[in-house]
Each structure stands twice: as structure tokens, then as C-alpha cells.
Amino acid sequence: MHDAVMTGINQVTAEWLTSALVGSGALTRGAVASFELETGQGNWSTNARLIVNYTPGAQGTLPRRLFLKMVNTDLGDESFDASEVTYYRRDYVDVTDAPLLRCYDAHYSEELRRYHILLNDVSETHVNASEKAPSLDYGLALAEGLAALHARWWGGQRLAEAGAPMHSAGHMRAFAAIAEPGVDHILRRFSSELQPHWPDAMRELFARHPQATIERTRDPNGFTLIHGDPGEQNILVPRQGNRPVYIIDRQPFDWSLTAWLGTYDLAYAIVLDWPTEMRRQCELPILERYHARLIEHGVRGYAWAQLFDDYRLCVAMCVYVATEYCRGGINERWIHVWLAMLQRSLTACDDLDCRALWKEGP
């Protein structure tokens, strides 16, 4: 199968595109005659945008614009796996309202530690969520999309069917331990940017919160296959309006969360990136819409009170995300990003009294 993985732009040909589009059902007659190509670079990938021309009489949906992403999954002390390939090719193929781009081809090679995906390119109609101010309507659209994804693999039995059992206690401790070194680095230089009680709150959180997450795994209701990184750079929103949204780039590191509480994805999206006042105004309606859509998708026995507590537990995990930026020392390049994330996360912990979930623990 490794021969099917594209490893360089020079391998893209009209014949390969024809084969991919025929295989996906997008091209039912004719062939790709030619294409124009514009290369790019992501954090972990090489990519290209393609404008495709077809032979006369070609039939099918005939996508005009495509996006090819090629990834080396071996990053030295960290790695990816086939998650992004299964995201498009397996996990949600039967979910009609999944907020995913159409995928025309995707292959992963464990031997080469590489994969590629060929997607519909919506850059003419959509932008990264970072380029638009958030709104309640956008938040509701995001809640609806995440509920559609999460309901598909909801609960311990379905996670086992997906080959993604709930994380062990060791994994949860390791997830916190990855970020914890950042606490001292941040506090040595940025205490003046924090509320007076936040340094102690951060230390207490890292001391007690991991055990609270472990205790929560005793009940599988609420757990599902998550995206794990639905930040504003990984969500595409319409240039006009708020629907449809597309959630992209599911690329978990080997230490990331993949089978976890569904509310983590919502907390990640609105706590880390949204202005605090907007989050405060929209939080409850977004969570209520998410809960309602889970029920519509067949989730049973997941009470609103449990969802809200799960959300609070995950809000505290946003502190991990912000702190992890500085695990090896102050991340100078991204101070404007992680410091704002940390301030928003700690504010949300205060607003929602997240500490109550673990302060009585061991």
C-alpha cells in the first residue's frame, strides 16, 4: 500500500487525479485533462491547491478545486498515526450531517510513516474561523456539527468498536505531565499578567485535576471519539453566514486526547479562542444546543447536569493546552497566543467554579 501514498508534488499527474476521482465516484465518465497547481506548507505538512480541467463530455460532480495534503507522521520524539485518514475514510462516512469536507482519496503507510488526503477545496467560500469574529449563531452551528460527530461513537461500547478505548489513568497523568513544566516557566516571567490567585490555582489544578479526570472514566457515558484540537485555525467558516462549518486537521500526537469527553471539543473551541465576554454570553445556549442535538442523534441517559459538569472538567483542561506551549521554556514566538489562552482559561475556571470538581479530592 505504500506505493499509493503521495510523498511529493511531482507525483501528481492527470492520470492519478483521474484514478482518485473515479474511485471516489466524483468522476463517472471522462478524465482529468489538465490541472493548475499552487503549493503551500502547513505546520506538519506539504500541501497543494489544484484547479482541475476535464475532458469534453466528462460527467459526475466534477470538483473544480481540490486540496492535497501530504504528511510525514514521524516527528522524532512525537508522532501522528492514521487518525486523519480514518477521520475521512472510516469514522463518519455514514454521518450525513458531519461537518467534514468531501474526501476523494486518502492513504496511510505505516512503513513510510506518511499519509496523504485529497479534499474538496472550499477556499473560495470559506476562511479559517480566526478570520471572523465569533457569534452565537456560529457557536450553535459548531455545537450541531460536533454533536453529529460525537454521537457516532458515543459510549464505551462504540469506542471499543472503533478500536479507540477510553484513555487509561496512565495516559491521563501523562497528558497533564506533558504540560506541567510550563507552569514554572510561565510564573517566573508572567505572574504580573495573571490574577493574584492564579499561580496557586495553576499549581493546585495540576496537582488535583488529573485524578478528577481519572475518576470520571468510571462511567463511559459522555465519552466518544473527539477531534481534540478544534481551535480557530482548524475550523473553516463561510465568508458569508455561519453554515456550513467544516472541522479539519484531526492530527493527534501520540500523547493527545482522542477518546475523551465530547465536551472537551466545545471547551477547547470557545474557551481558548473566544473573547471572555462573548464566551460568557454564548456558553449556555451553545451547550444546550449540543445536548439537544446529541439526543436527536440517539444519545440516551446523558443528563444536562452531567454534561455541564463534564464541560467544567474540560474547561480546566484548557489550562493544560495553554501551558503546554511553554513546556520546554517560554515560547517567545507565540506569547500573544498562549498567554491570552491561559488568561481566558483561568477566567473560565473562576466563572464556572471548576475547582469545586476536585478541591475535595485526595
Side-chain angles (χ1 to χ4, degrees):
M1 286 295 293
H2 71 270
D3 290 333
V5 175
M6 305 296 285
T7 60
I9 297 298
N10 61 326
Q11 295 175 312
V12 181
T13 64
E15 292 75 19
W16 177 78
L17 287 171
T18 297
S19 177
L21 294 172
V22 168
S24 69
L27 178 61
T28 58
R29 181 177 179 179
V32 172
S34 63
F35 61 91
E36 302 170 34
L37 183 149
E38 176 186 339
T39 60
Q41 196 75 31
N43 286 334
W44 323 111
S45 65
T46 300
N47 54 62
R49 283 192 162 86
L50 309 170
I51 300 177
V52 182
N53 302 302
Y54 297 90
T55 55
Q59 295 180 4
T61 56
L62 306 182
R64 171 74 170 156
R65 303 177 69 90
L66 300 172
F67 181 81
L68 175 65
K69 178 178 180 179
M70 295 172 288
V71 180
N72 176 8
T73 68
D74 187 358
L75 306 178
D77 60 344
E78 298 176 321
S79 64
F80 301 135
D81 58 14
S83 180
E84 191 167 25
V85 171
T86 60
Y87 187 57
Y88 291 104
R89 295 295 297 269
R90 183 204 72 179
D91 293 343
Y92 306 107
V93 292
D94 56 347
V95 180
T96 56
D97 52 352
L100 271 62
L101 296 168
R102 178 165 181 182
C103 179
Y104 301 100
D105 192 63
H107 289 288
Y108 170 78
S109 168
E110 187 171 353
E111 178 185 353
L112 296 180
R113 305 292 296 277
R114 298 189 67 94
Y115 69 83
H116 77 256
I117 53 175
L118 183 67
L119 302 169
N120 193 34
D121 178 18
V122 296
S123 57
E124 289 188 319
T125 59
H126 284 66
V127 295
N128 287 111
S130 60
E131 297 183 37
K132 287 181 66 174
S135 66
L136 175 58
D137 192 48
Y138 159 62
L140 297 176
L142 183 59
E144 293 162 8
L146 287 171
L149 298 182
H150 293 165
R152 176 64 182 85
W153 298 106
W154 194 267
Q157 181 176 342
R158 287 191 178 177
L159 282 172
E161 292 170 2
M166 292 162 54
H167 293 309
S168 67
H171 188 99
M172 297 312 300
R173 291 191 184 98
F175 181 73
I178 286 282
E180 188 169 10
V183 174
D184 285 340
H185 294 306
I186 291 168
L187 295 183
R188 277 196 292 268
R189 275 190 52 186
F190 290 93
S191 291
S192 62
E193 302 292 332
L194 306 176
Q195 295 294 326
H197 66 284
W198 283 350
D200 287 342
M202 291 173 67
R203 292 191 177 98
E204 181 184 285
L205 188 152
F206 276 95
R208 293 181 177 270
H209 181 271
Q211 185 60 35
T213 67
I214 294 166
E215 293 293 327
R216 179 60 185 87
T217 62
R218 293 179 179 179
D219 176 6
N221 198 2
F223 289 83
T224 185
L225 204 59
I226 65 168
H227 182 282
D229 186 21
E232 59 187 7
Q233 297 295 332
N234 291 340
I235 302 172
L236 302 179
V237 298
R239 295 177 183 273
Q240 303 295 326
N242 294 295
R243 290 175 173 78
V245 299
Y246 299 108
I247 304 173
I248 61 172
D249 289 359
R250 190 180 77 178
Q251 293 178 288
F253 295 111
D254 46 13
W255 50 264
S256 299
L257 300 181
T258 55
W260 190 243
L261 294 167
T263 53
Y264 180 85
D265 279 342
L266 274 176
Y268 194 110
I270 67 176
V271 171
L272 290 170
D273 291 330
W274 285 32
T276 292
E277 287 305 317
M278 178 64 70
R279 189 262 306 163
R280 287 169 172 163
Q281 293 172 22
C282 300
E283 198 165 46
L284 281 178
I286 290 171
L287 291 172
E288 289 167 350
R289 179 66 59 87
Y290 175 71
H291 189 236
R293 286 302 172 91
L294 286 177
I295 293 170
E296 290 178 18
H297 284 285
V299 170
R300 297 291 180 264
Y302 188 52
W304 164 255
Q306 184 63 70
L307 181 149
F308 190 67
D309 279 350
D310 287 345
Y311 176 74
R312 293 164 66 210
L313 191 70
C314 293
V315 165
M317 301 177 86
C318 293
V319 177
Y320 296 177
V321 177
T323 306
E324 188 271 332
Y325 274 80
C326 298
R327 60 177 170 162
I330 294 299
N331 187 324
E332 304 285 351
R333 179 183 178 187
W334 297 107
I335 288 174
H336 65 290
V337 172
W338 63 257
L339 183 55
M341 286 181 169
L342 182 60
Q343 292 166 334
R344 290 170 185 152
S345 300
L346 290 167
T347 300
C349 285
D350 288 345
D351 289 347
L352 298 167
D353 192 20
C354 296
R355 180 173 177 264
L357 297 172
W358 63 81
K359 67 180 180 181
E360 302 301 331

